[in-house]
Amino acid sequence: MTSAEVVYRARAYDTPGDPFADDAVAPGFRYDDDLGLAVSGDGVIVARGPFATVAAAHPDAVVLDLRAGILLPGLVDTHVHFPQVRVIGALGMPLLEWLERCALPEEQHLADPAYAATIAGEFVAGLIAAGTTTSLVFGSHFAPAVDALFAEAERYGLRVTSGLVVSDRVLPAPLLTTPERAHAEALDLATRWHGRGRLRYAVTPRFSLSASDPMLAACAAVMADIGDACFTSHVNENPAEVATVSGQFPDRAHYVDTYDHHGLLGPLSVLAHDVHPTDAELSVLAATGTAVAYCPTSNSALGSGMFPLRRHVTAGVRVALGSDVGAGTGFSIFKEGLQAYFLQHLLGGEGMRLTAAHLLHLSTAAGAAALGLADTVGDLSEGKQFDAILVRPPAGTSLDIGLRHADSPEGALGKVFALAGDADVAEVWVGGEQVASGGFVRPVSRRPSSEATSCLGH
Ligand code: GUN
Ligand code: ZN
């Protein structure tokens, strides 16, 4: 038996199974009203079981009673843009107009390293406040800004995969680079950050619309040089975008093929959106093991379309959730889950009837799997890292009342997705380290270890 420093006593929900294995019920959902989770000094869950049993087996561990809230795995955001924190909420435009008028002007400001450092602070605080412990982050076009993001993520101990965004056409000139420079800067960044603690590198052409074949070939060269990097980009988000890409790449079978042609798709690849895929594209995504980031609030805000979740699941394509800040309307993965539920419901027969368990799975385990981290995080099983959040709403709020009167775990979880926001994420842990408590985010490196147990109010 491995020794534990802490035993968490909790009402805990997670989804170690796959609820999409059968879309009528939710076999993957696991709940326990009085669970014990023994966590070692290096953040690993070393025992899981009834609290009394786990506590008796670890008599020297500190016991923390979290039963005033609901303990969930840390949320996973598979698509979120670091430089777009300040453009959240610009409504009423389709993708290409929104990029031109809102996102791209703001992204040019990150050429200033001081500004980029400020945005990195706002961005990381936004993730933590929302309970997002693991994310695949679309970085900046400027290497010093990407350094600032990695440094800030490291300061708070977040699991972040990110990289330099590269483009060599169509965008405003300050955002463009050459394949040679993109290659050199990406390798330089990866050398500094890839595999350092909880950080990893993602090769990130913005989208084929702004990346020529030589640029995509440079991305493939970076992938080969790093060996185990992630890959991310956008695909099939908007009909005008799809038509433009089709005209730019007359020799490719389809949009997905613009990436696949260069060998960029595989089990560590995540393409955002895919609102308008053909069946042939879904086959390629499934065959390569590429995951799709479903970004429901962004798809709604930009009017991109209704995501065909059922077609993805039927084709065997892995799907998880992305906030797509700043086209998406905030950092909350709970909100993305709720919006996914709404849209799939509204699609009628073409949609999927999502239960609260599906939403939790899409928000946690599916995201971890999409990012190749299924063995590390995503649920609260023995052997996983203790990445978790405590949902504990302020007294008297609708969520507080709802949870006290919920008639089942599934009912309580439905209320969490319907009602929970940042104010209800009371505690956040990554790898056993508490990075937020009571609405305050704190760098792990500055936190005296004794503080870890003093702010829980028990
Ligand atoms: N496609 C290319 N860039 C972007 C972006 O920043 N946001 C979204 N939603 N789609 C994109
Ligand atoms: Zn995006």
Side-chain angles (χ1 to χ4, degrees):
M1 187 184 70
T2 316
S3 72
E5 285 200 348
V6 183
V7 172
Y8 295 96
R9 182 175 196 178
R11 175 157 61 130
Y13 304 164
D14 65 354
T15 51
D18 182 359
F20 288 99
D22 175 347
D23 96 31
V25 293
F29 185 43
R30 177 168 65 174
Y31 53 89
D32 202 315
D33 278 343
D34 196 6
L35 182 71
L37 287 173
V39 176
S40 66
D42 55 1
V44 176
I45 300 170
V46 292
R48 175 192 167 106
F51 169 72
T53 312
V54 172
H58 296 89
D60 298 330
V62 173
V63 172
L64 290 175
D65 192 340
L66 305 174
R67 287 175 298 164
I70 294 176
L71 190 72
L72 301 175
L75 303 178
V76 180
D77 189 340
T78 63
H79 186 71
V80 53
H81 291 253
F82 148 51
Q84 296 180 3
V85 191
R86 295 190 181 185
V87 300
I88 296 169
L91 304 177
M93 287 163 274
L95 172 67
L96 298 178
E97 184 186 350
W98 175 82
L99 282 172
E100 188 179 335
R101 290 181 51 192
C102 300
L104 301 180
E106 171 64 8
E107 295 207 20
Q108 292 175 59
H109 295 146
L110 275 84
D112 173 1
Y115 186 76
T118 302
I119 298 297
E122 294 174 3
F123 177 78
V124 165
L127 288 176
I128 296 171
T132 296
T133 52
T134 296
S135 51
L136 175 57
V137 179
F138 233 79
S140 163
H141 289 267
F142 304 101
V146 179
D147 275 315
L149 169 69
F150 276 128
E152 191 70 359
E154 182 174 68
R155 207 157 77 88
Y156 285 88
L158 288 191
R159 276 179 225 289
V160 163
T161 305
S162 189
L164 183 73
V165 181
V166 297
S167 290
D168 64 347
R169 62 180 178 191
V170 180
L171 305 188
L175 299 179
L176 300 181
T177 187
T178 62
E180 296 73 24
R181 183 169 164 203
H183 184 244
E185 288 186 348
L187 274 191
D188 194 38
L189 281 162
T191 303
R192 279 200 292 289
W193 299 107
H194 183 61
R196 176 162 151 165
R198 299 172 188 148
L199 308 175
R200 297 182 305 168
Y201 196 80
V203 175
T204 313
R206 187 161 197 130
F207 54 168
S208 297
L209 189 148
S210 69
S212 68
D213 266 318
M215 181 58 90
L216 295 170
C219 289
V222 176
M223 295 288 286
D225 289 341
I226 300 175
D228 59 350
C230 292
F231 172 80
T232 192
S233 194
H234 296 92
V235 80
N236 288 327
E237 180 174 0
N238 165 291
E241 168 215 17
V242 176
T244 304
V245 170
S246 171
Q248 290 169 317
F249 291 91
D251 297 337
R252 301 290 169 262
H254 38 61
Y255 197 159
V256 166
D257 192 34
T258 63
Y259 303 118
D260 190 40
H261 176 80
H262 292 279
L264 293 167
L265 302 183
L268 290 177
S269 303
V270 178
L271 292 178
H273 300 291
D274 207 29
V275 179
H276 307 284
T278 62
D279 288 345
E281 290 179 297
L282 290 172
S283 299
V284 173
L285 295 175
T288 55
T290 302
V292 166
Y294 175 16
C295 306
T297 72
S298 168
N299 293 345
S300 302
L302 297 179
S304 300
M306 308 281 257
F307 180 71
L309 177 61
R310 181 178 288 286
R311 287 179 60 215
H312 282 75
V313 171
T314 303
V317 180
R318 299 180 302 143
V319 176
L321 290 176
S323 68
D324 197 27
V325 158
T329 61
F331 284 95
S332 177
I333 291 297
F334 290 135
K335 183 158 72 168
E336 297 304 329
L338 182 65
Q339 187 74 5
Y341 165 79
F342 287 155
L343 286 162
Q344 294 305 316
H345 207 20
L346 287 168
L347 274 169
E350 285 176 32
M352 291 195 79
R353 281 298 178 101
L354 297 175
T355 65
H358 287 108
L359 303 187
L360 183 61
H361 187 264
L362 284 168
S363 305
T364 57
L371 304 188
L373 295 172
D375 292 341
T376 311
V377 293
D379 63 49
L380 300 171
S381 294
E382 212 173 290
K384 299 262 171 102
Q385 290 276 312
F386 185 70
D387 283 22
I389 63 173
L390 186 69
V391 176
R392 190 182 56 194
T397 59
S398 304
L399 182 55
D400 172 52
I401 294 164
L403 292 180
R404 281 192 281 111
H405 296 284
D407 55 6
S408 66
E410 291 90 342
L413 191 58
K415 290 173 191 299
V416 169
F417 277 94
L419 289 164
D422 291 5
D424 306 301
V425 178
E427 317 283 347
V428 181
W429 295 265
V430 186
E433 294 171 326
Q434 197 175 6
V435 295
S437 176
F440 299 100
V441 297
R442 318 176 271 178
V444 288
S445 52
R446 287 208 203 130
R447 175 173 53 86
S449 56
S450 60
E451 222 182 287
T453 58
S454 66
C455 308
L456 295 167
H458 301 287

